[in-house]
Amino acid sequence: MISYMPYPVRIDDIVVETEDGNQKSFKLVFENEAHTKAWKHVAGQFAMLSLAGQGEIPIGIASSPTEEDHLLFTVNRAGKVTTALHQMTIGDRMGVRGPLGKGFPVDTEMKGKNIVIIAGGFAVTTLRATLISLLARRSDYGKITFIYGARTPGMLLYRDELQQWAQRGDIDLHVTIDREAPGWDGLVGFVPTIAGQVAPSPENSVALICGPPIMIKFTMPPLEAIGWTDDQVYLSLENRMKCGEGVCCHCNVGPTLVCKDGPVFTRRQVKKLPIEY
Amino acid sequence: MKVFKISPAELDTMIEQWNKVHVVYAPAMEKQAAASPDCAPGWCRVDGSAALTLLPLLTGPTLASVKPFFFPQPETLLTYTLENTRPDKGMMREPERSKDMQVVLGVRPCDARSVLLNNLPYQEDQFFQANRQRTALVGFICDQTLSTCFCSRMGGSPLDNEGLDLALSRAEDGFIVEVCSEKGEALVTGLELAPAPEGDISALAARRNAGGNPSATELDSLKGSELGTLYDAAMWQSLGEACINCGACTFICPTCYCFDIQDEVVRGQGRRIRYWDSCMFPLYSLHTSGHNPRGQKVQRTRNRFLHKLKYFPDRFGPFSCVGCGRCVKDCPVNIDIREVMDDLMHLTAVE
């Protein structure tokens, strides 16, 4: 039964992720041990962050299910609830309702495959969750390619982890920024350009692409040119949501409910939908 | 199924009996519609003495549908305090909810059916289900229909008792009472009612048979048609131009069920509530970024009709419309869903 009751959680840590201060990561721990155990999610799912007096917002879960003792959400300050959340401090109490929606098929279609992850801007959050999930069972997957771009070095999320991943040797990591910047000796160029240069083979592969619509639009042609098909590509949609449980109707894209049928869809599924997202 | 026959005086007594132990509502007459502080617009509390005179045993749908009894406006989902001195500040609590049985009189077959349809998306919603548990529908099958009625076209019938707990129909010198559910059974337990004479029962059955098979609908071809054919139709343009997105159709509609959730804090005491929303409003789909997937009027108008006639049936089977005709009657720019259906049917026939 749907009760709309969030789990009580406490903010355990806050990290300001970006140089503009607009992205903060919130590490949340459950107040009740039983809830820690009850919570089971899959990378790619989302949850409602609940602030008493402010409301709820649907946010992708940035932590992997393998990080068992806490949840991580990276939140862009944009509206009423996110602004209130950005003003909260460590130790403050709030709520989490979820997990909601369908995640990436890490335990099914992705198993045994080469995985190509392409992320732009702060859409990287659920892909961080995915990568950590994959790394926890690294031998279940083939080659992992991770392409991630942001406007500037200071707008990259999870910079410490990016460095760790770069040193591992079992991830083909490509981190890029839009324009030259002082002190940056990594890749420069938009994500679609880098994806075209990396040209990951579609053979026995699955791609997960999250980013601004314009990035996705320009990333697809270079991939299609080397044989990628719409069934191999997973995207994640977002729409305004209220219940997150398939009842309130807000997030519908034609006959499809983003909260219930998604947010993760194959590109083939997305192409069949009216453009209402 | 038990069938009784009662006189008008017995109906009055029945209602008085229910009123002693339950909360009893009846459809408000036009003039009373806004004057009932303790219940939803279009309904009023029955005070025992004048029960029968409150019942508009006329024709066509009641002023308001039964939606507010299952989906109250607003419904409190949870409560909390924001007072700084309180140790439980910000902690979410289950709301206190009435467990009183509510009996709704004068319910039309179309509205009874709407509850069954709304139950499909609300199957797992504990608030809707709790309200269903505590609500008994005492209906009147329709003597006559209005020019705006089209329940038969949507797979219903003016004579149906589906979804009702007690179904009353007019007979000579009184009413036939069909007991349609356990809740209905409970309502007549302890009342000394006479079984209906065989002649009245067969007369009712004959009326129903004369109505034909309501479950076969010519509209079913819409269900099998390609979404693209319906979605890309040119007709939405002119319809969207006429529609002023006032949302009236969605609020009076018994099967429009979408909602918004907001936090409301008054003097430090907060509650999270849900209330009726409308896909006719631009805010409904607006992203925080400013992007709006249905930013144009025509997109919103199309969404309402396709939700009822395509999206809902694709997911659940039946159409999300019972043909009560309230939207036809009350649309300020005379948009008629029957014409929309005709146009869509024509499209699929061409296809």
Side-chain angles (χ1 to χ4, degrees):
Chain A
M1 277 284 163
I2 306 167
S3 74
Y4 304 96
M5 180 63 74
Y7 294 121
V9 295
R10 183 170 41 79
I11 300 177
D12 194 49
D13 196 19
I14 300 175
V15 174
V16 180
E17 293 279 359
T18 53
E19 61 189 359
D20 65 357
N22 268 344
Q23 315 277 330
K24 284 185 183 176
S25 287
F26 297 84
K27 184 180 170 190
L28 307 178
V29 292
F30 291 96
E31 295 268 61
N32 183 333
E33 185 60 31
H35 296 159
T36 313
K37 290 206 174 74
W39 182 278
K40 296 259 182 295
H41 77 276
V42 177
Q45 283 189 292
F46 67 99
M48 288 286 174
L49 300 187
S50 164
L51 269 61
Q54 302 294 335
E56 291 185 318
I57 42 164
I59 301 287
I61 306 168
S63 53
S64 153
T66 54
E67 300 168 275
E68 283 171 351
D69 58 336
H70 70 275
L71 297 174
L72 187 75
F73 294 89
T74 304
V75 180
N76 180 39
R77 184 163 58 86
K80 181 184 164 194
V81 181
T82 53
T83 301
L85 181 59
H86 268 244
Q87 286 162 357
M88 291 175 78
T89 53
I90 293 170
D92 282 352
R93 292 186 163 87
M94 51 180 279
V96 173
R97 185 161 65 82
L100 303 166
K102 292 201 176 88
F104 292 112
V106 283
D107 295 321
T108 50
E109 281 91 340
M110 286 165 66
K111 263 209 168 150
K113 303 258 174 71
N114 301 314
I115 311 294
V116 179
I117 296 175
I118 304 177
F122 49 88
V124 70
T125 58
T126 57
L127 295 176
R128 175 208 178 264
T130 310
L131 183 62
I132 307 253
S133 290
L134 302 183
L135 294 177
R137 285 174 300 140
R138 183 64 189 86
S139 57
D140 283 358
Y141 306 93
K143 186 180 177 187
I144 297 178
T145 307
F146 194 93
I147 302 169
Y148 173 36
R151 269 177 289 146
T152 64
M155 291 303 286
L156 290 165
L157 305 184
Y158 316 128
R159 271 166 282 177
D160 292 347
E161 286 177 314
L162 287 174
Q163 284 186 354
Q164 291 167 23
W165 296 338
Q167 285 157 15
R168 280 182 65 112
D170 58 356
I171 310 169
D172 185 19
L173 189 73
H174 306 270
V175 180
T176 180
I177 58 165
D178 288 357
R179 276 174 219 89
E180 296 279 357
W184 178 258
D185 56 4
L187 293 170
V188 175
F190 294 119
V191 167
T193 315
I194 304 300
Q197 287 165 5
V198 173
S201 162
E203 187 100 9
N204 192 36
S205 297
V206 161
L208 318 178
I209 309 180
C210 292
I214 193 78
M215 181 204 95
I216 295 171
K217 184 180 169 189
F218 286 107
T219 301
M220 284 317 296
L223 293 184
E224 280 163 350
I226 54 173
W228 283 84
T229 64
D230 289 338
D231 287 324
Q232 289 174 281
V233 175
Y234 289 85
L235 307 171
S236 185
L237 297 185
E238 48 185 39
N239 247 357
R240 189 185 180 107
M241 279 178 198
K242 289 293 168 178
C243 73
E245 301 262 17
V247 190
C248 82
C249 293
H250 272 261
C251 65
N252 85 296
V253 180
T256 299
L257 296 172
V258 173
C259 70
K260 195 91 179 166
D261 305 323
V264 171
F265 296 95
T266 64
R267 187 154 188 263
R268 179 178 302 280
Q269 291 170 321
V270 171
K271 271 188 167 172
K272 281 189 192 153
L273 298 176
I275 305 176
E276 290 186 2
Y277 45 85
Chain B
M1 183 171 61
K2 286 182 193 161
V3 187
F4 301 106
K5 183 160 187 184
I6 57 171
S7 68
E10 280 177 305
L11 176 58
D12 229 349
T13 316
M14 262 166 80
I15 294 170
E16 275 173 41
Q17 288 297 320
W18 295 335
N19 224 349
K20 286 177 189 159
V21 280
H22 307 310
V23 187
V24 185
Y25 297 95
M29 301 301 194
E30 203 93 29
K31 280 177 194 155
Q32 297 165 321
S36 313
D38 56 348
C39 65
W43 296 91
C44 58
R45 287 283 290 274
V46 171
D47 73 32
S49 58
L52 188 55
T53 57
L54 278 168
L55 296 174
L57 297 171
L58 304 169
T59 49
T62 51
L63 214 54
S65 80
V66 295
K67 186 160 76 171
F69 296 104
F70 301 91
F71 180 17
Q73 169 83 314
E75 174 111 66
T76 304
L77 301 178
L78 40 86
T79 64
Y80 49 86
T81 177
L82 289 182
E83 282 177 42
N84 282 323
T85 52
R86 293 270 293 269
D88 58 347
K89 183 189 170 191
M91 265 173 61
M92 302 292 183
R93 300 182 184 292
E94 302 251 1
E96 279 177 31
R97 279 144 64 181
S98 171
K99 292 197 168 59
D100 293 341
M101 187 77 178
Q102 48 188 11
V103 179
V104 188
L105 305 178
V107 178
R108 293 285 177 259
C110 52
D111 285 340
R113 199 161 162 255
S114 76
V115 181
L116 303 179
L117 293 177
N118 291 347
N119 191 55
L120 297 169
Y122 280 89
Q123 199 84 54
E124 293 296 317
D125 185 282
Q126 68 159 359
F127 294 91
F128 186 91
Q129 293 305 331
N131 290 332
R132 257 199 103 185
Q133 284 271 309
R134 69 181 193 95
T135 307
L137 300 181
V138 178
F140 280 88
I141 71 167
C142 298
D143 274 1
Q144 280 180 302
T145 54
L146 299 180
S147 65
T148 47
C149 289
F150 59 102
C151 59
S152 307
R153 198 172 173 189
M154 303 317 299
S157 154
L159 306 173
D160 240 354
N161 57 23
E162 193 190 7
L164 290 170
D165 298 297
L166 290 181
L168 277 65
S169 47
R170 210 130 46 158
E172 224 162 306
D173 318 323
F175 302 96
I176 306 290
V177 182
E178 294 176 291
V179 182
C180 313
S181 72
E182 278 177 30
K183 262 184 278 174
E185 183 78 47
L187 285 179
V188 294
T189 302
L191 303 173
E192 307 232 329
L193 305 178
E198 202 49 53
D200 283 328
I201 296 176
S202 51
L204 181 57
R207 277 177 76 191
R208 285 190 173 133
N209 284 337
N213 175 13
S215 61
T217 138
E218 44 155 18
L219 286 170
D220 278 349
S221 70
L222 289 183
K223 293 179 184 171
S225 57
E226 282 292 317
L227 172 63
T229 313
L230 306 179
Y231 190 89
D232 296 328
M235 56 182 276
W236 301 121
Q237 200 56 46
S238 53
L239 209 61
E241 282 161 5
C243 177
I244 57 172
N245 276 190
C246 69
C249 54
T250 57
F251 290 111
I252 54 175
C253 178
T255 53
C256 267
Y257 60 84
C258 76
F259 59 82
D260 191 8
I261 301 178
Q262 293 288 338
D263 278 36
E264 183 182 82
V265 183
V266 179
R267 285 188 287 280
Q269 305 309 313
R271 56 176 191 156
R272 186 160 290 161
I273 53 173
R274 76 167 167 207
Y275 54 90
W276 303 357
D277 206 345
S278 172
C279 62
M280 296 286 100
F281 302 154
L283 208 62
Y284 183 86
S285 48
L286 181 68
H287 290 204
T288 315
S289 65
H291 169 62
N292 196 340
R294 284 195 293 273
Q296 295 172 335
K297 209 155 61 104
V298 54
Q299 296 171 314
R300 299 192 285 275
T301 311
R302 170 173 53 200
N303 186 69
R304 174 163 192 272
F305 287 113
L306 284 188
H307 179 259
K308 297 200 163 301
L309 302 171
K310 185 68 183 157
Y311 306 159
F312 189 94
D314 272 0
R315 190 167 280 266
F316 299 111
F319 294 108
S320 179
C321 171
V322 292
C324 72
R326 290 186 181 93
C327 59
V328 178
K329 206 149 61 82
D330 290 351
C331 176
V333 295
N334 297 321
I335 290 174
D336 188 331
I337 188 172
R338 294 171 298 183
E339 288 168 16
V340 175
M341 293 190 300
D342 289 341
D343 289 350
L344 288 175
M345 290 288 292
H346 182 69
L347 268 174
T348 53
V350 171
E351 179 192 19

